[in-house]
Amino acid sequence: MKKHKFIAVLVTLLLFSLQASAQRRNTAYNNYIRDYADLAVDQMKRYKIPASITLSQGLLESGAGQSTLARRSNNHFGIKCGNNWTGRSVRANDDLPNECFRAYSNVKDSYEDHSKFLTQNRRYASLFDLKQTDYRGWAQGLKKAGYATDKSYATKLISIIEDYELYKYDTKSMSKKEERRWQKQLKKKPWLANPHDVYIANDIAYVIARDGDTFALLSGEFGISKSKLVKYNELEKSYTLMDGDIIYLNKKNKKSLSNTIYHVVRDGDSMHSISQIYGIQLKSLYKLNRIKADYVPEVGGRIYLK
């Protein structure tokens, strides 16, 4: 009986999680994906540009088709006129006032021109050496090649792709044999479809855990044993990873290497959570603050980091 109740609770929590995830998704984005996913896949088959990249760029650059540029001129990718453009154009403010942007008769022409813009421009040539499923490499490569001036352009594309699972469209042009091979790879290495971003805190690499993550999955993705991951993060072997947990990929430092001297305790903070935020070993925090292991930090208090 208890087992059935436990399963029922798990199902309820899963349904709630899925509903919450759906609510977080932008309706306009969902509509855009519904309307243009097939067009992006068609472009991928013809030009070898990942459909996830085309869709995420279209979503970002056109505001899901709602921007003035998209509505006035069907320009979904923010492509400016350039020296070789002989078609229609419109003027709009961007990096500079009254800049020249390409105008199209329909959205399909905008998608086609976007593909040609990337394939015929030398500075994007190296991107076509990447695997079709490497949307991260494409996003970072576009930013590096100067497609946009926004410093966080690649991060924004990757976030859109992962939040809306656009990467699933990148296998649409594969042969059945290639897709079977890819699906086999995903079964062995599920992180390939949605790898973790790696961040740095206190000169140490870390990732943010997601729903469904386990130490075994992270171990496989980063080639670090489960026992080391548990040890680096000063957790118990039985600990279940939670969405949002900071997980370090190496041993934390003994003090802060930044200019931050102390942390002001907030509601919900624990000594362990503070050690994770700053990448400092828990024992070192106790030592730096001359407190014992059973100390409970008080809201508003200071925890010294060096």
Side-chain angles (χ1 to χ4, degrees):
M1 186 67 180
K2 287 183 179 180
K3 183 177 180 181
H4 291 305
K5 285 184 178 179
F6 178 68
I7 293 173
V9 170
L10 280 180
V11 171
T12 301
L13 288 173
L14 178 59
L15 288 173
F16 178 80
S17 175
L18 291 173
Q19 289 170 354
S21 176
Q23 289 172 355
R24 285 196 298 270
R25 290 187 174 184
N26 188 307
T27 301
Y29 272 45
N30 285 332
N31 292 340
Y32 187 95
I33 295 164
R34 179 199 64 205
D35 292 341
Y36 300 116
D38 288 345
L39 186 53
V41 169
D42 178 63
Q43 293 294 308
M44 176 176 66
K45 290 177 178 178
R46 295 168 59 201
Y47 294 99
K48 309 304 180 185
I49 301 166
S52 62
I53 287 295
T54 300
L55 277 173
S56 61
Q57 283 195 281
L59 283 161
L60 183 59
E61 297 288 350
S62 75
Q66 301 303 308
S67 71
T68 301
L69 188 62
R71 288 185 284 107
R72 281 177 57 199
S73 57
N74 291 310
N75 188 331
H76 280 228
F77 298 93
I79 300 178
K80 296 176 183 178
C81 294
N83 296 327
N84 299 322
W85 180 247
T86 57
R88 291 192 306 113
S89 64
V90 293
R91 294 282 174 173
N93 296 332
D94 191 49
D95 296 324
L96 298 172
N98 201 35
E99 291 196 84
C100 183
F101 286 86
R102 300 182 182 187
Y104 308 95
S105 299
N106 51 63
V107 178
K108 184 178 180 181
D109 286 348
S110 177
Y111 269 67
E112 180 76 12
D113 192 47
H114 169 261
S115 296
K116 290 179 178 178
F117 180 79
L118 294 182
T119 55
Q120 295 174 7
N121 197 319
R122 281 188 176 182
R123 63 180 176 175
Y124 302 115
S126 62
L127 296 178
F128 293 88
D129 293 329
L130 300 173
K131 290 183 179 180
Q132 193 169 280
T133 51
D134 187 8
Y135 62 86
R136 286 170 176 258
W138 268 84
Q140 291 159 357
L142 285 169
K143 173 62 186 77
K144 188 176 180 180
Y147 190 96
T149 55
D150 184 354
K151 292 181 179 179
S152 59
Y153 190 72
T155 303
K156 288 178 180 178
L157 292 183
I158 292 169
S159 294
I160 291 171
I161 291 169
E162 295 180 351
D163 288 347
Y164 292 86
E165 300 179 2
L166 301 184
Y167 46 78
K168 65 186 179 184
Y169 296 106
D170 293 340
T171 60
K172 294 292 184 180
S173 67
M174 290 182 177
S175 65
K176 290 184 178 180
K177 184 177 180 180
E178 288 174 325
E179 191 165 358
R180 283 196 298 269
R181 188 184 302 135
W182 173 246
Q183 292 301 328
K184 283 183 180 179
Q185 281 185 298
L186 289 183
K187 285 182 180 179
K188 295 179 181 178
K189 303 176 180 179
W191 56 85
L192 287 175
N194 191 11
H196 290 77
D197 283 321
V198 178
Y199 306 94
I200 299 293
N202 209 24
D203 208 26
I204 310 161
Y206 73 91
V207 296
I208 303 294
R210 300 186 293 236
D211 285 331
D213 276 347
T214 63
F215 283 115
L217 285 174
L218 293 179
S219 172
E221 183 174 352
F222 295 101
I224 303 169
S225 71
K226 292 186 290 184
S227 59
K228 283 186 177 180
L229 286 173
V230 170
K231 185 177 180 180
Y232 292 157
N233 292 278
E234 299 172 287
L235 295 166
E236 298 294 330
K237 291 181 180 179
S238 58
Y239 180 79
T240 300
L241 289 174
M242 299 177 66
D243 184 35
D245 279 346
I246 294 172
I247 300 298
Y248 285 96
L249 306 179
N250 213 322
K251 190 175 182 180
K252 292 180 286 186
N253 285 315
K254 293 183 178 180
K255 64 179 181 179
S256 173
L257 301 180
S258 71
N259 294 325
T260 306
I261 298 173
Y262 60 84
H263 170 81
V264 178
V265 179
R266 297 167 295 190
D267 187 32
D269 280 348
S270 66
M271 290 301 291
H272 183 266
S273 69
I274 294 170
S275 78
Q276 292 297 97
I277 291 170
Y278 294 99
I280 301 173
Q281 294 172 32
L282 193 52
K283 288 182 179 179
S284 296
L285 274 186
Y286 291 136
K287 187 175 181 179
L288 287 167
N289 290 275
R290 298 179 182 178
I291 53 179
K292 295 182 179 180
D294 59 355
Y295 176 78
V296 177
E298 297 181 1
V299 174
R302 292 184 178 183
I303 299 297
Y304 286 90
L305 310 173
K306 59 196 310 183

